[in-house]
Amino acid sequence: DHFFDQVIVWHVLEHIPDPTDVLREIHRILKPGGEVVIAVPNFSSLQAQWSGSAWFHLDLPRHLFHFPHQALRQLMSDCGFEPGTTHHFSLRQNPFGWVQSALNRWTRLPRNSLYELIHARQEPHVKSLPRMTRFCLLTAFVLGMPVGLFLEILATLMKSGATIHVTGVARGNEQR
């Protein structure tokens, strides 16, 4: 109980069957005033709204839950945390999300094919893609990333990034 100064939950909470129990356990093990940092896809983002069911970060069935920004802050509060700052920009994930979401919307290729291709996944549908299709996917990546970066900068300025991380401070020693 009350041992750790900080716990980081980086793109994990959306994979867990009971996020509330996990956050309550984190509250229990944090010292009063200890910090939690939680990163998740932002279900209320512009990218999610624009791409709908083609959203790259939807990632079904691995993602069991999706959190709109305010719902995550409310969940944190309900579990004993005082939500703090929210950061809306991730260079690693958000610009790419625009490119992959667009491909998911506008092509008949298997979902998230570009992601699978550049991460050298050995999925049968990726291995069987024709050489020209793989070339077109990589071309879409090279040409699309500047556009994705621009769109994500706009989304960040609007406080609507595709992924967010929220800090929170553990309140008191009360049992949750």
Side-chain angles (χ1 to χ4, degrees):
D1 289 350
H2 313 297
F3 181 81
F4 294 97
D5 294 317
Q6 185 179 57
V7 173
I8 299 172
V9 186
W10 203 260
H11 291 278
V12 172
L13 203 60
E14 65 271 22
H15 298 272
I16 295 174
D18 194 338
T20 301
D21 278 353
V22 169
L23 288 179
R24 287 184 175 148
E25 177 64 11
I26 291 169
H27 184 269
R28 184 188 68 76
I29 66 174
L30 274 174
K31 294 176 182 175
E35 181 181 51
V36 65
V37 179
I38 301 171
V40 294
N42 180 9
F43 196 66
S44 57
S45 69
L46 287 176
Q47 191 179 111
Q49 292 171 31
W50 173 77
S51 52
S53 63
W55 188 37
F56 168 65
H57 298 289
L58 201 57
D59 201 17
L60 300 171
R62 290 182 291 250
H63 288 180
L64 304 176
F65 288 91
H66 284 282
F67 302 93
H69 175 220
Q70 290 305 320
L72 176 61
R73 292 179 69 84
Q74 183 63 53
L75 177 62
M76 291 171 68
S77 182
D78 292 348
C79 292
F81 296 97
E82 184 63 42
T85 59
T86 300
H87 303 269
H88 289 268
F89 186 78
S90 168
L91 183 59
R92 182 178 184 272
Q93 295 186 354
N94 297 4
F96 179 83
W98 284 103
V99 176
Q100 183 61 75
S101 295
L103 288 168
N104 288 346
R105 278 184 67 166
W106 297 332
T107 70
R108 294 177 187 246
L109 292 170
R111 184 178 181 85
N112 297 337
S113 294
L114 176 59
Y115 178 83
E116 301 283 343
L117 179 65
I118 65 175
H119 285 87
R121 300 282 174 101
Q122 296 303 311
E123 303 293 330
H125 67 271
V126 174
K127 287 171 47 177
S128 66
L129 289 175
R131 180 175 241 129
M132 182 53 92
T133 301
R134 291 195 305 266
F135 174 78
C136 289
L137 282 170
L138 293 174
T139 301
F141 173 70
V142 170
L143 298 177
M145 285 301 286
V147 175
L149 178 60
F150 174 76
L151 291 171
E152 194 54 35
I153 289 170
L154 290 177
T156 299
L157 292 172
M158 296 171 67
K159 298 186 184 301
S160 189
T163 63
I164 53 173
H165 74 267
V166 180
T167 63
V169 175
R171 295 188 300 248
N173 286 332
E174 69 272 9
Q175 194 68 7
R176 293 260 157 220

